[in-house]
Amino acid sequence: MASRKKTLLKVIILGDSSVGKTSLMNQYVNRKFTNQYKATIGADFLTKELTVDDRTVTMQIWDTAGQERFQSLGVAFYRGADCCVLVFDVTAPNTFKSLDSWRDEFLIQASPREPENFPFVLLGNKVDLEPRAISSKRAQQWCQSKNNIPYFETSAKEGLNVEQAFMAIAKNALAQQNSTVDLYNEFPDQIKLTNTQKPSGGSGCCQ
Amino acid sequence: MSVRPKAWLYLCGGRVLMERHPHAYDECLRCEGNPKYIEDIRKDIHRQFPMHEMFSSEDKPGQQELYNVLKAYTVHFPDIGYCQAQAPVAAFLLMHMPAVQAFWCLVSISNRYLEDYYSPTMEVVQRDGLILQGLLKKVCPPVYRHLKKVNAEPMFYCTEWFLCAFTRTLPWDTLLRIWDIFLCEGVKVLFKTALVILIGCLGTAKSRKQCPGLCETLDRLRNPPEDVLSEEHLIYNVTRLDISEQDFQEQHQKQAKKLKLNSLKSSNGSSR
């Protein structure tokens, strides 16, 4: 039985370098876009409170480095995620081709209990740019082949579809959290059930 | 002109490398390079210090020089190639010296000071995160316990610090001083700097109370109070931090062993 003070949804954004992960997160949380982002090293996160079906939830969005070699640092960041957002650039075919490996790598490293039911959402970003390399149809076909992943076409620059996409992300994450209590084989905050107030003068109780 | 760039070039051994291989940089530039690395570099050259005069637009010389230095490195060391964290380091060097010198400093920093940080597996950064945690436990147990309590793993806060050698973290004056010491004494200075920042951010009971959860804690570490990063505070505390050579060695051995065990365990786990 999981009793939580407030619902926290952990969302992780993955995808190749320069597809717009940081921009999407910033557009959604701060409604801002700039051309002057710095490449993300390691990971960064922002939180946003929102209402989903009359419930207030806090979404903790983790933005990660896109370069392949940073995947080896992934396990710490992926653990405990409720939803994984995959992003590609609709004008850059290679970023679409990498989606399979991002998805697989996430499932291996995060090891959710039911990998086939774990919620992913796919975002095709930079639809404001020409020329287009990956059609909607092609992206949708990929989504269908992966157990019907929801797909959104976004422009972080123009704020197009970003709000809608993250609402769907939140709903999927929440549904997932409700349907399975033990989402992960390893559940690090189990400890909290017995973690009562620290006795005064006590030591070594925080391990 | 400041003597600092000259001193850095001598200190890190860049000068010796440059004299030993006088034509290597130009030769590297003439090579085509691995297209995968070239693509990665191209995506990053406009994303380094975007507010800095040198790198603010494509027309400025900074972006082209940065491309050249990073590309030359991948040609010279194809097994390491390009790691995204090298770009801010190279850009920072280019703010001080001509491209060929920046290249040899980058070589020395990547291959000696931060050996294996940028390699494709990036294992050493994870080990160093654990070493930092171990040292923190010894130097300031309350901060160590707080980070454990909120589940703040070292990789959450020290990845950028270590990989970019604080070039993206510290204000200019402090950064120059830390780099002076870093190039003199080596990677241990990065650990000490990290410890002083951690203690500066979370060293008091009051500050820990203000950061009851993971989010607040990481937020504070990402945006430390100004005085914590000031030259006077940071340099003073880095030099007087009480950690011996032996402490470093002990932690190093302990964490290297632990990491090996963990990776064995996890590889068994995932094959289940």
Side-chain angles (χ1 to χ4, degrees):
Chain A
M1 198 174 84
S3 68
R4 288 162 197 269
K5 273 182 292 183
K6 60 179 182 186
T7 306
L8 179 75
L9 300 175
K10 179 173 173 180
V11 169
I12 179 138
I13 309 181
L14 303 179
D16 277 3
S17 178
S18 207
V19 295
K21 299 178 292 297
T22 307
S23 299
L24 282 163
M25 177 173 82
N26 265 293
Q27 177 60 259
Y28 176 60
V29 176
N30 300 320
R31 291 179 202 284
K32 272 186 198 152
F33 177 84
T34 161
N35 276 317
Q36 299 195 315
Y37 280 119
K38 292 188 271 180
T40 308
I41 307 286
D44 207 346
F45 77 93
L46 290 173
T47 55
K48 178 156 171 141
E49 226 166 67
L50 70 158
T51 311
V52 186
D53 303 331
D54 297 328
R55 251 175 100 176
T56 306
V57 299
T58 304
M59 186 147 57
Q60 186 185 82
I61 307 166
W62 285 79
D63 170 32
T64 58
Q67 199 187 16
E68 203 181 334
R69 61 185 68 190
F70 280 85
Q71 282 185 3
S72 55
L73 307 181
V75 66
F77 302 109
Y78 299 177
R79 199 180 296 141
D82 298 300
C83 180
C84 175
V85 183
L86 301 170
V87 186
F88 73 99
D89 172 350
V90 295
T91 68
N94 284 342
T95 67
F96 182 74
K97 283 183 206 139
S98 312
L99 291 173
D100 277 303
S101 92
W102 281 110
R103 183 178 169 277
D104 295 347
E105 189 65 23
F106 173 83
L107 289 174
I108 290 168
Q109 294 213 31
S111 64
R113 185 150 275 185
E114 295 178 71
E116 63 283 6
N117 293 326
F118 187 88
F120 287 90
V121 172
L122 179 67
L123 307 185
N125 192 37
K126 304 197 190 181
V127 290
D128 54 286
L129 292 185
E130 293 284 348
R132 178 106 183 203
I134 304 294
S135 66
S136 304
K137 199 175 155 200
R138 201 161 150 211
Q140 272 156 357
Q141 277 169 352
W142 186 84
C143 287
Q144 276 165 12
S145 75
K146 305 288 182 234
N147 214 355
N148 289 319
I149 293 176
Y151 174 57
F152 292 86
E153 301 204 326
T154 57
S155 162
K157 187 175 183 181
E158 289 169 5
L160 189 77
N161 250 342
V162 175
E163 188 77 35
Q164 291 87 331
F166 275 93
M167 185 48 87
I169 291 160
K171 282 188 177 172
N172 277 282
L174 194 61
Q176 175 68 10
Q177 222 181 47
N178 290 340
S179 69
T180 43
V181 180
D182 288 334
L183 188 56
Y184 289 90
N185 297 326
E186 270 188 326
F187 211 5
D189 53 7
Q190 251 173 5
I191 282 167
K192 282 183 182 151
L193 295 172
T194 53
N195 188 8
T196 50
Q197 277 291 306
K198 180 182 175 183
S200 56
S203 62
C205 61
C206 297
Q207 290 274 346
Chain B
M1 198 185 138
S2 158
V3 305
R4 183 170 264 130
K6 269 191 191 159
W8 283 4
L9 186 64
Y10 277 98
L11 272 175
C12 74
R15 176 106 232 162
V16 177
L17 291 170
M18 200 165 89
E19 279 163 4
R20 211 177 283 161
H21 312 277
H23 308 297
Y25 179 67
D26 289 328
E27 281 162 14
C28 286
L29 289 188
R30 281 197 291 273
C31 290
E32 220 167 82
N34 178 332
K36 176 82 188 83
Y37 298 145
I38 300 289
E39 192 191 333
D40 280 356
I41 294 169
R42 284 218 181 276
K43 285 176 178 174
D44 282 350
I45 51 169
H46 63 283
R47 300 195 290 171
Q48 311 305 326
F49 302 98
M51 313 306 266
H52 191 282
E53 172 71 27
M54 260 180 87
F55 300 99
S56 58
S57 85
E58 278 176 52
D59 321 326
K60 302 279 167 62
Q63 292 194 10
Q64 184 57 44
E65 285 183 349
L66 180 60
Y67 171 82
N68 288 346
V69 168
L70 293 171
K71 184 199 137 181
Y73 185 89
T74 67
V75 173
H76 212 289
F77 300 99
D79 293 343
I80 304 175
Y82 169 64
C83 171
Q84 285 192 299
Q86 285 172 302
V89 173
F92 178 64
L93 288 165
L94 281 169
M95 290 173 198
H96 293 89
M97 53 186 83
V100 58
Q101 297 180 9
F103 169 73
W104 290 111
C105 286
L106 179 71
V107 168
S108 177
I109 289 166
S110 302
N111 300 10
R112 290 174 49 210
Y113 285 73
L114 305 178
E115 194 186 349
D116 287 339
Y117 266 21
Y118 304 129
S119 74
T121 62
M122 299 186 78
E123 219 173 57
V124 174
V125 192
Q126 300 183 59
R127 182 204 66 198
D128 280 4
L130 295 172
I131 294 177
L132 176 67
Q133 203 180 31
L135 292 170
L136 182 66
K137 188 177 179 181
K138 178 178 182 292
V139 178
C140 191
V143 177
Y144 166 82
R145 285 198 301 266
H146 177 81
L147 293 175
K148 274 271 174 186
K149 192 182 79 182
V150 301
N151 288 318
E153 298 190 25
M155 281 298 103
F156 293 175
Y157 53 85
C158 74
T159 309
E160 190 182 85
W161 291 353
F162 282 173
L163 282 174
C164 305
F166 289 101
T167 50
R168 283 183 166 199
T169 311
L170 299 175
W172 186 253
D173 293 343
T174 318
L175 179 58
L176 296 178
R177 294 284 308 278
I178 287 296
W179 264 57
D180 291 342
I181 317 175
F182 167 55
L183 295 181
C184 257
E185 296 178 14
V187 70
K188 292 184 192 90
V189 175
L190 302 187
F191 286 89
K192 289 182 181 178
T193 306
L195 288 168
V196 171
I197 295 176
L198 285 164
I199 296 165
C201 287
L202 299 162
T204 63
K206 190 181 157 204
S207 61
R208 290 193 294 277
K209 220 173 206 170
Q210 285 168 347
C211 304
L214 178 66
C215 293
E216 298 89 345
T217 303
L218 292 183
D219 235 11
R220 192 172 170 88
L221 292 175
R222 224 149 272 188
N223 307 292
E226 230 172 83
D227 56 311
V228 171
L229 301 186
S230 72
E231 191 184 341
E232 307 81 66
H233 174 91
L234 203 79
I235 304 300
Y236 175 71
N237 285 289
V238 162
T239 48
R240 67 186 282 270
L241 202 63
D242 183 25
I243 308 178
S244 66
E245 184 70 20
Q246 201 189 345
D247 293 330
F248 273 108
Q249 279 175 10
E250 267 175 32
Q251 276 305 321
H252 185 116
Q253 282 160 5
K254 197 170 149 189
Q255 302 307 341
K257 213 185 267 172
K258 220 196 243 172
L259 199 71
K260 227 177 218 170
L261 277 177
N262 280 349
S263 70
L264 270 178
K265 247 191 258 169
S266 70
S267 64
N268 287 341
S270 60
S271 62
R272 246 188 306 154

Short mmCIF file of all heavy atoms in Angstrom, two decimals, chain A residues 121-170:
data_model
loop_
_atom_site.label_atom_id
_atom_site.label_comp_id
_atom_site.label_asym_id
_atom_site.label_seq_id
_atom_site.Cartn_x
_atom_site.Cartn_y
_atom_site.Cartn_z
N VAL A 121 6.41 8.28 -24.46
CA VAL A 121 5.73 9.23 -25.34
C VAL A 121 6.79 9.71 -26.33
O VAL A 121 7.94 9.96 -25.95
CB VAL A 121 5.14 10.42 -24.54
CG1 VAL A 121 4.62 11.50 -25.48
CG2 VAL A 121 4.02 9.95 -23.62
N LEU A 122 6.40 9.79 -27.61
CA LEU A 122 7.36 10.23 -28.63
C LEU A 122 7.04 11.65 -29.07
O LEU A 122 5.89 11.98 -29.37
CB LEU A 122 7.31 9.29 -29.84
CG LEU A 122 8.26 9.67 -30.98
CD1 LEU A 122 9.72 9.51 -30.58
CD2 LEU A 122 7.98 8.84 -32.23
N LEU A 123 8.08 12.50 -29.11
CA LEU A 123 7.90 13.86 -29.62
C LEU A 123 8.78 14.07 -30.85
O LEU A 123 9.99 13.84 -30.80
CB LEU A 123 8.29 14.90 -28.55
CG LEU A 123 7.64 14.79 -27.16
CD1 LEU A 123 8.06 15.99 -26.30
CD2 LEU A 123 6.12 14.74 -27.25
N GLY A 124 8.15 14.48 -31.96
CA GLY A 124 8.91 14.88 -33.14
C GLY A 124 9.05 16.39 -33.08
O GLY A 124 8.08 17.11 -33.29
N ASN A 125 10.23 16.87 -32.76
CA ASN A 125 10.41 18.31 -32.49
C ASN A 125 10.96 19.05 -33.71
O ASN A 125 11.41 18.43 -34.68
CB ASN A 125 11.33 18.48 -31.29
CG ASN A 125 11.35 19.89 -30.75
OD1 ASN A 125 10.31 20.57 -30.73
ND2 ASN A 125 12.52 20.37 -30.34
N LYS A 126 10.93 20.34 -33.64
CA LYS A 126 11.42 21.27 -34.68
C LYS A 126 10.55 21.25 -35.93
O LYS A 126 11.05 21.38 -37.05
CB LYS A 126 12.88 20.96 -35.06
CG LYS A 126 13.84 21.00 -33.87
CD LYS A 126 15.29 21.11 -34.30
CE LYS A 126 16.23 20.91 -33.11
NZ LYS A 126 17.64 21.04 -33.46
N VAL A 127 9.22 21.11 -35.78
CA VAL A 127 8.35 21.12 -36.96
C VAL A 127 8.28 22.51 -37.60
O VAL A 127 7.77 22.65 -38.71
CB VAL A 127 6.91 20.63 -36.65
CG1 VAL A 127 6.89 19.15 -36.36
CG2 VAL A 127 6.28 21.42 -35.52
N ASP A 128 8.84 23.52 -36.93
CA ASP A 128 8.88 24.84 -37.55
C ASP A 128 9.97 24.94 -38.61
O ASP A 128 10.02 25.88 -39.38
CB ASP A 128 9.13 25.90 -36.46
CG ASP A 128 10.36 25.60 -35.63
OD1 ASP A 128 10.30 24.67 -34.78
OD2 ASP A 128 11.38 26.26 -35.82
N LEU A 129 10.87 23.94 -38.65
CA LEU A 129 11.99 23.99 -39.59
C LEU A 129 11.72 23.21 -40.87
O LEU A 129 10.98 22.24 -40.88
CB LEU A 129 13.27 23.44 -38.94
CG LEU A 129 13.91 24.23 -37.80
CD1 LEU A 129 15.22 23.56 -37.40
CD2 LEU A 129 14.17 25.68 -38.19
N GLU A 130 12.35 23.62 -41.95
CA GLU A 130 12.32 22.92 -43.23
C GLU A 130 13.76 22.54 -43.57
O GLU A 130 14.68 23.19 -43.11
CB GLU A 130 11.78 23.86 -44.33
CG GLU A 130 10.33 24.24 -44.16
CD GLU A 130 9.38 23.11 -44.56
OE1 GLU A 130 9.86 22.12 -45.17
OE2 GLU A 130 8.19 23.22 -44.26
N PRO A 131 14.02 21.54 -44.40
CA PRO A 131 13.04 20.62 -44.94
C PRO A 131 12.79 19.47 -43.98
O PRO A 131 13.68 19.05 -43.23
CB PRO A 131 13.73 20.11 -46.21
CG PRO A 131 15.19 20.16 -45.87
CD PRO A 131 15.38 21.28 -44.89
N ARG A 132 11.65 18.92 -44.08
CA ARG A 132 11.23 17.82 -43.23
C ARG A 132 11.83 16.50 -43.73
O ARG A 132 11.80 16.23 -44.92
CB ARG A 132 9.72 17.79 -43.31
CG ARG A 132 9.06 16.72 -42.56
CD ARG A 132 8.42 17.28 -41.34
NE ARG A 132 7.87 16.14 -40.63
CZ ARG A 132 6.89 16.21 -39.77
NH1 ARG A 132 6.35 17.38 -39.49
NH2 ARG A 132 6.44 15.14 -39.16
N ALA A 133 12.38 15.71 -42.83
CA ALA A 133 13.00 14.45 -43.26
C ALA A 133 12.18 13.22 -42.84
O ALA A 133 12.24 12.18 -43.48
CB ALA A 133 14.41 14.34 -42.68
N ILE A 134 11.44 13.34 -41.75
CA ILE A 134 10.66 12.21 -41.25
C ILE A 134 9.18 12.60 -41.25
O ILE A 134 8.79 13.55 -40.57
CB ILE A 134 11.09 11.83 -39.81
CG1 ILE A 134 12.59 11.55 -39.73
CG2 ILE A 134 10.28 10.64 -39.29
CD1 ILE A 134 13.06 10.33 -40.49
N SER A 135 8.39 11.88 -42.03
CA SER A 135 6.96 12.22 -42.12
C SER A 135 6.21 11.77 -40.87
O SER A 135 6.67 10.89 -40.14
CB SER A 135 6.36 11.54 -43.35
OG SER A 135 6.36 10.14 -43.15
N SER A 136 5.04 12.37 -40.68
CA SER A 136 4.20 11.97 -39.54
C SER A 136 3.89 10.49 -39.62
O SER A 136 3.89 9.76 -38.62
CB SER A 136 2.87 12.72 -39.56
OG SER A 136 3.07 14.08 -39.58
N LYS A 137 3.62 10.05 -40.85
CA LYS A 137 3.21 8.66 -41.04
C LYS A 137 4.31 7.69 -40.57
O LYS A 137 4.04 6.71 -39.89
CB LYS A 137 2.91 8.44 -42.53
CG LYS A 137 2.07 7.22 -42.79
CD LYS A 137 1.70 7.11 -44.25
CE LYS A 137 1.42 5.67 -44.60
NZ LYS A 137 1.52 5.43 -46.03
N ARG A 138 5.53 8.03 -40.96
CA ARG A 138 6.65 7.16 -40.59
C ARG A 138 6.81 7.10 -39.07
O ARG A 138 7.04 6.04 -38.50
CB ARG A 138 7.92 7.69 -41.24
CG ARG A 138 8.95 6.61 -41.34
CD ARG A 138 10.02 6.92 -42.34
NE ARG A 138 11.24 6.28 -41.88
CZ ARG A 138 12.45 6.75 -42.10
NH1 ARG A 138 12.61 7.86 -42.79
NH2 ARG A 138 13.51 6.11 -41.65
N ALA A 139 6.69 8.25 -38.43
CA ALA A 139 6.83 8.29 -36.97
C ALA A 139 5.69 7.50 -36.31
O ALA A 139 5.91 6.75 -35.36
CB ALA A 139 6.83 9.73 -36.49
N GLN A 140 4.49 7.67 -36.86
CA GLN A 140 3.34 6.95 -36.29
C GLN A 140 3.49 5.44 -36.45
O GLN A 140 3.11 4.68 -35.56
CB GLN A 140 2.04 7.43 -36.92
CG GLN A 140 1.47 8.63 -36.17
CD GLN A 140 0.56 9.49 -37.01
OE1 GLN A 140 0.38 9.25 -38.20
NE2 GLN A 140 -0.02 10.49 -36.40
N GLN A 141 4.03 5.04 -37.58
CA GLN A 141 4.24 3.59 -37.78
C GLN A 141 5.19 3.03 -36.72
O GLN A 141 4.98 1.95 -36.19
CB GLN A 141 4.81 3.34 -39.17
CG GLN A 141 3.73 3.29 -40.23
CD GLN A 141 4.30 3.31 -41.64
OE1 GLN A 141 5.50 3.52 -41.84
NE2 GLN A 141 3.43 3.11 -42.62
N TRP A 142 6.23 3.81 -36.45
CA TRP A 142 7.18 3.36 -35.43
C TRP A 142 6.47 3.22 -34.09
O TRP A 142 6.65 2.23 -33.37
CB TRP A 142 8.34 4.35 -35.32
CG TRP A 142 9.43 3.89 -34.39
CD1 TRP A 142 10.46 3.05 -34.67
CD2 TRP A 142 9.56 4.23 -32.99
NE1 TRP A 142 11.23 2.84 -33.57
CE2 TRP A 142 10.72 3.55 -32.51
CE3 TRP A 142 8.84 5.02 -32.10
CZ2 TRP A 142 11.15 3.65 -31.20
CZ3 TRP A 142 9.28 5.12 -30.79
CH2 TRP A 142 10.42 4.44 -30.35
N CYS A 143 5.63 4.20 -33.77
CA CYS A 143 4.89 4.17 -32.50
C CYS A 143 3.97 2.96 -32.41
O CYS A 143 3.86 2.32 -31.36
CB CYS A 143 4.07 5.44 -32.34
SG CYS A 143 5.07 6.88 -31.99
N GLN A 144 3.31 2.67 -33.53
CA GLN A 144 2.41 1.50 -33.53
C GLN A 144 3.18 0.21 -33.27
O GLN A 144 2.73 -0.66 -32.55
CB GLN A 144 1.68 1.41 -34.87
CG GLN A 144 0.43 2.28 -34.90
CD GLN A 144 -0.09 2.48 -36.32
OE1 GLN A 144 0.34 1.78 -37.25
NE2 GLN A 144 -0.99 3.43 -36.49
N SER A 145 4.36 0.14 -33.87
CA SER A 145 5.15 -1.08 -33.71
C SER A 145 5.66 -1.25 -32.29
O SER A 145 6.15 -2.30 -31.91
CB SER A 145 6.32 -1.08 -34.70
OG SER A 145 7.31 -0.18 -34.23
N LYS A 146 5.58 -0.20 -31.49
CA LYS A 146 6.04 -0.28 -30.10
C LYS A 146 4.86 -0.22 -29.14
O LYS A 146 4.88 0.55 -28.17
CB LYS A 146 7.00 0.87 -29.78
CG LYS A 146 8.18 0.99 -30.70
CD LYS A 146 9.18 -0.12 -30.45
CE LYS A 146 10.38 0.04 -31.35
NZ LYS A 146 10.70 -1.13 -32.15
N ASN A 147 3.83 -0.94 -29.44
CA ASN A 147 2.70 -1.00 -28.53
C ASN A 147 1.95 0.33 -28.40
O ASN A 147 1.56 0.74 -27.31
CB ASN A 147 3.21 -1.47 -27.14
CG ASN A 147 2.17 -2.33 -26.45
OD1 ASN A 147 1.06 -2.49 -26.96
ND2 ASN A 147 2.52 -2.86 -25.28
N ASN A 148 1.79 1.02 -29.53
CA ASN A 148 1.03 2.27 -29.58
C ASN A 148 1.48 3.38 -28.64
O ASN A 148 0.73 3.83 -27.77
CB ASN A 148 -0.46 1.99 -29.36
CG ASN A 148 -1.07 1.28 -30.55
OD1 ASN A 148 -0.77 1.62 -31.69
ND2 ASN A 148 -1.88 0.28 -30.27
N ILE A 149 2.67 3.79 -28.84
CA ILE A 149 3.20 4.93 -28.09
C ILE A 149 2.52 6.21 -28.60
O ILE A 149 2.41 6.40 -29.81
CB ILE A 149 4.73 5.03 -28.31
CG1 ILE A 149 5.44 3.84 -27.68
CG2 ILE A 149 5.29 6.34 -27.77
CD1 ILE A 149 6.94 3.82 -27.94
N PRO A 150 2.04 7.08 -27.71
CA PRO A 150 1.45 8.34 -28.17
C PRO A 150 2.51 9.21 -28.86
O PRO A 150 3.67 9.24 -28.42
CB PRO A 150 0.99 9.02 -26.87
CG PRO A 150 1.00 7.96 -25.83
CD PRO A 150 1.99 6.93 -26.25
N TYR A 151 2.08 9.90 -29.92
CA TYR A 151 3.03 10.70 -30.70
C TYR A 151 2.55 12.14 -30.84
O TYR A 151 1.39 12.39 -31.13
CB TYR A 151 3.21 10.07 -32.09
CG TYR A 151 4.06 10.89 -33.03
CD1 TYR A 151 5.36 11.25 -32.69
CD2 TYR A 151 3.57 11.30 -34.27
CE1 TYR A 151 6.15 12.00 -33.55
CE2 TYR A 151 4.35 12.05 -35.15
CZ TYR A 151 5.63 12.40 -34.78
OH TYR A 151 6.42 13.14 -35.63
N PHE A 152 3.46 13.09 -30.62
CA PHE A 152 3.13 14.51 -30.79
C PHE A 152 4.20 15.17 -31.65
O PHE A 152 5.37 14.85 -31.52
CB PHE A 152 3.08 15.22 -29.43
CG PHE A 152 1.94 14.80 -28.57
CD1 PHE A 152 2.05 13.68 -27.75
CD2 PHE A 152 0.74 15.51 -28.57
CE1 PHE A 152 0.99 13.28 -26.95
CE2 PHE A 152 -0.32 15.12 -27.77
CZ PHE A 152 -0.21 13.99 -26.97
N GLU A 153 3.77 16.07 -32.50
CA GLU A 153 4.72 16.88 -33.27
C GLU A 153 4.78 18.25 -32.63
O GLU A 153 3.76 18.92 -32.47
CB GLU A 153 4.27 16.95 -34.72
CG GLU A 153 4.18 15.57 -35.33
CD GLU A 153 4.32 15.55 -36.83
OE1 GLU A 153 3.86 16.52 -37.46
OE2 GLU A 153 4.89 14.58 -37.35
N THR A 154 5.98 18.65 -32.26
CA THR A 154 6.12 19.87 -31.45
C THR A 154 7.10 20.86 -32.07
O THR A 154 7.95 20.48 -32.89
CB THR A 154 6.65 19.53 -30.04
OG1 THR A 154 7.90 18.84 -30.19
CG2 THR A 154 5.68 18.65 -29.26
N SER A 155 6.97 22.09 -31.64
CA SER A 155 8.01 23.08 -31.88
C SER A 155 8.27 23.77 -30.55
O SER A 155 7.44 24.53 -30.07
CB SER A 155 7.56 24.09 -32.93
OG SER A 155 8.39 25.23 -32.84
N ALA A 156 9.43 23.47 -29.98
CA ALA A 156 9.77 24.12 -28.71
C ALA A 156 9.95 25.60 -28.93
O ALA A 156 9.65 26.41 -28.08
CB ALA A 156 11.05 23.51 -28.14
N LYS A 157 10.40 25.96 -30.13
CA LYS A 157 10.65 27.37 -30.44
C LYS A 157 9.35 28.17 -30.43
O LYS A 157 9.28 29.25 -29.87
CB LYS A 157 11.30 27.47 -31.82
CG LYS A 157 11.75 28.85 -32.17
CD LYS A 157 12.50 28.85 -33.49
CE LYS A 157 13.00 30.26 -33.80
NZ LYS A 157 13.71 30.29 -35.08
N GLU A 158 8.33 27.59 -31.04
CA GLU A 158 7.06 28.33 -31.13
C GLU A 158 6.03 27.90 -30.09
O GLU A 158 4.90 28.39 -30.10
CB GLU A 158 6.50 28.17 -32.55
CG GLU A 158 7.34 28.96 -33.53
CD GLU A 158 7.04 28.67 -34.98
OE1 GLU A 158 6.09 27.90 -35.26
OE2 GLU A 158 7.76 29.20 -35.83
N GLY A 159 6.42 26.98 -29.26
CA GLY A 159 5.50 26.53 -28.21
C GLY A 159 4.36 25.68 -28.76
O GLY A 159 3.35 25.47 -28.09
N LEU A 160 4.55 25.15 -29.95
CA LEU A 160 3.49 24.41 -30.60
C LEU A 160 3.34 22.99 -30.01
O LEU A 160 4.31 22.23 -30.01
CB LEU A 160 3.80 24.31 -32.10
CG LEU A 160 2.71 23.74 -32.99
CD1 LEU A 160 1.64 24.80 -33.22
CD2 LEU A 160 3.31 23.30 -34.32
N ASN A 161 2.15 22.69 -29.52
CA ASN A 161 1.83 21.34 -29.03
C ASN A 161 2.58 20.92 -27.76
O ASN A 161 2.44 19.77 -27.32
CB ASN A 161 2.13 20.29 -30.11
CG ASN A 161 0.84 19.70 -30.65
OD1 ASN A 161 -0.21 19.80 -30.01
ND2 ASN A 161 0.91 19.06 -31.80
N VAL A 162 3.38 21.79 -27.21
CA VAL A 162 4.22 21.40 -26.07
C VAL A 162 3.36 21.12 -24.83
O VAL A 162 3.51 20.09 -24.16
CB VAL A 162 5.28 22.50 -25.76
CG1 VAL A 162 6.06 22.16 -24.51
CG2 VAL A 162 6.21 22.65 -26.95
N GLU A 163 2.43 22.02 -24.57
CA GLU A 163 1.53 21.87 -23.43
C GLU A 163 0.74 20.56 -23.54
O GLU A 163 0.68 19.78 -22.58
CB GLU A 163 0.57 23.09 -23.44
CG GLU A 163 -0.31 23.22 -22.23
CD GLU A 163 0.43 23.77 -21.03
OE1 GLU A 163 1.32 24.63 -21.21
OE2 GLU A 163 0.12 23.32 -19.91
N GLN A 164 0.18 20.33 -24.72
CA GLN A 164 -0.62 19.12 -24.95
C GLN A 164 0.23 17.86 -24.73
O GLN A 164 -0.21 16.89 -24.12
CB GLN A 164 -1.18 19.10 -26.38
CG GLN A 164 -2.25 20.14 -26.66
CD GLN A 164 -1.64 21.49 -27.11
OE1 GLN A 164 -0.53 21.83 -26.72
NE2 GLN A 164 -2.37 22.24 -27.90
N ALA A 165 1.44 17.91 -25.28
CA ALA A 165 2.32 16.74 -25.16
C ALA A 165 2.61 16.43 -23.69
O ALA A 165 2.51 15.28 -23.26
CB ALA A 165 3.61 16.99 -25.93
N PHE A 166 2.94 17.46 -22.93
CA PHE A 166 3.30 17.19 -21.53
C PHE A 166 2.07 16.79 -20.70
O PHE A 166 2.21 16.06 -19.72
CB PHE A 166 4.05 18.39 -20.92
CG PHE A 166 5.52 18.35 -21.20
CD1 PHE A 166 6.05 19.00 -22.31
CD2 PHE A 166 6.38 17.63 -20.39
CE1 PHE A 166 7.41 18.94 -22.59
CE2 PHE A 166 7.74 17.57 -20.65
CZ PHE A 166 8.25 18.23 -21.77
N MET A 167 0.90 17.26 -21.10
CA MET A 167 -0.30 16.80 -20.41
C MET A 167 -0.47 15.29 -20.63
O MET A 167 -0.77 14.54 -19.70
CB MET A 167 -1.53 17.57 -20.92
CG MET A 167 -2.82 17.26 -20.18
SD MET A 167 -2.66 17.30 -18.36
CE MET A 167 -2.97 19.02 -18.04
N ALA A 168 -0.25 14.87 -21.87
CA ALA A 168 -0.35 13.43 -22.16
C ALA A 168 0.72 12.65 -21.39
O ALA A 168 0.48 11.55 -20.89
CB ALA A 168 -0.20 13.19 -23.66
N ILE A 169 1.90 13.25 -21.30
CA ILE A 169 2.99 12.60 -20.56
C ILE A 169 2.58 12.43 -19.10
O ILE A 169 2.73 11.35 -18.51
CB ILE A 169 4.28 13.46 -20.68
CG1 ILE A 169 4.81 13.40 -22.11
CG2 ILE A 169 5.34 13.00 -19.69
CD1 ILE A 169 5.77 14.54 -22.48
N ALA A 170 2.02 13.48 -18.53
CA ALA A 170 1.60 13.43 -17.13
C ALA A 170 0.51 12.37 -16.93
O ALA A 170 0.56 11.58 -15.98
CB ALA A 170 1.08 14.79 -16.68
#
